Amino acid sequence: LYYYPRKHYSVKEICQFGENRDYTHLIVLSERHKKCNGMTISHLNKGDGPTAFLKVSNVVTSQKLPNHGTCTNHVPELNLHGFSTRLGHRVGRFLASLFPHAPQLEGRQVVTFHNQRDYIFVRHHRYIFYEGKKVMEKDEQGKTRARLQELGPRFTLKLRWLQDGTFDTKFGHYEWYHKRKEMDTTRR
């Protein structure tokens, strides 16, 4: 994980820079009035992509969460819910590719991507086990109980477009894009 300030470089130039250094993904965050409102994620696999732009909303940082825990350097497990359509499978696998495929279970961390009505809710938790009567006196059967502690940040994503290949706004092939008039209808 590296951070470089964007300065005056275009996203296409940054993609070329990342490919030359054998990076796997590029994430560019956009902001308005000092608040994050968009995220461009590009998979830099020899130009194969894909690239997605997601609208970011409802960002709550770790410090603002009540009773939040501290995150460790362990690779989290992934939990993907609601990615059942053809596009959902594509987006779910794309988001899962951001994390290594070998989670470190001793860290007991989980990142959840929950897709509901075209919104993707992102949460980061740690699970904690309680063994029988040692901790919980009320438990009569001595069962193992689990509890979640949110680590943060928490935010909501909405897919705006998905492009085949790395970032290219002029000549890129769009697999899917959000059609506002057709897709933004009321739930009634």
Side-chain angles (χ1 to χ4, degrees):
L1 183 64
Y2 298 99
Y3 167 75
Y4 295 106
R6 184 172 171 184
K7 296 184 182 176
H8 60 278
Y9 297 109
S10 70
V11 176
K12 195 167 184 176
E13 291 173 333
I14 297 172
C15 284
Q16 290 293 326
F17 175 80
E19 282 182 16
N20 293 340
R21 299 232 175 167
D22 293 330
Y23 291 164
T24 56
H25 291 85
L26 171 73
I27 301 175
V28 178
L29 299 173
S30 54
E31 64 177 283
R32 182 177 176 148
H33 303 297
K34 300 291 183 185
K35 290 190 178 182
C36 179
N37 67 349
M39 179 186 322
T40 303
I41 305 172
S42 185
H43 184 69
L44 305 175
N45 186 13
K46 301 175 188 169
D48 292 340
T51 299
F53 178 76
L54 301 123
K55 179 183 156 194
V56 179
S57 60
N58 301 330
V59 178
V60 180
T61 60
S62 299
Q63 293 80 18
K64 292 184 181 178
L65 291 171
N67 301 323
H68 70 89
T70 56
C71 187
T72 61
N73 289 333
H74 294 95
V75 176
E77 301 174 55
L78 289 181
N79 204 347
L80 300 170
H81 288 284
F83 294 95
S84 56
T85 63
R86 185 172 161 243
L87 177 65
H89 280 288
R90 177 88 162 137
V91 172
R93 286 183 54 93
F94 177 62
L95 292 172
S97 72
L98 293 171
F99 298 90
H101 295 291
Q104 296 171 337
L105 301 176
E106 63 270 6
R108 302 182 324 271
Q109 295 183 37
V110 179
V111 173
T112 303
F113 293 99
H114 181 80
N115 185 14
Q116 185 177 0
R117 291 192 181 121
D118 294 333
Y119 287 94
I120 302 169
F121 301 98
V122 182
R123 303 291 184 268
H124 187 193
H125 289 93
R126 174 181 298 124
Y127 53 90
I128 301 168
F129 292 113
Y130 291 108
E131 298 289 335
K133 295 181 181 178
K134 294 177 185 172
V135 177
M136 300 178 87
E137 297 293 332
K138 298 176 185 175
D139 189 12
E140 298 155 6
Q141 299 172 356
K143 293 181 180 177
T144 303
R145 304 285 178 161
R147 165 175 98 81
L148 291 177
Q149 180 182 31
E150 192 163 6
L151 302 176
R154 98 168 53 141
F155 53 93
T156 305
L157 301 172
K158 183 166 179 141
L159 183 67
R160 288 299 180 188
W161 50 260
L162 184 67
Q163 188 179 54
D164 197 20
T166 54
F167 185 83
D168 190 2
T169 53
K170 285 188 178 180
F171 304 109
H173 174 260
Y174 287 91
E175 291 182 37
W176 183 87
Y177 62 94
H178 182 78
K179 301 171 190 146
R180 287 187 180 214
K181 291 182 182 177
E182 295 173 22
M183 300 178 100
D184 288 342
T185 59
T186 60
R187 293 187 300 189
R188 295 184 210 189

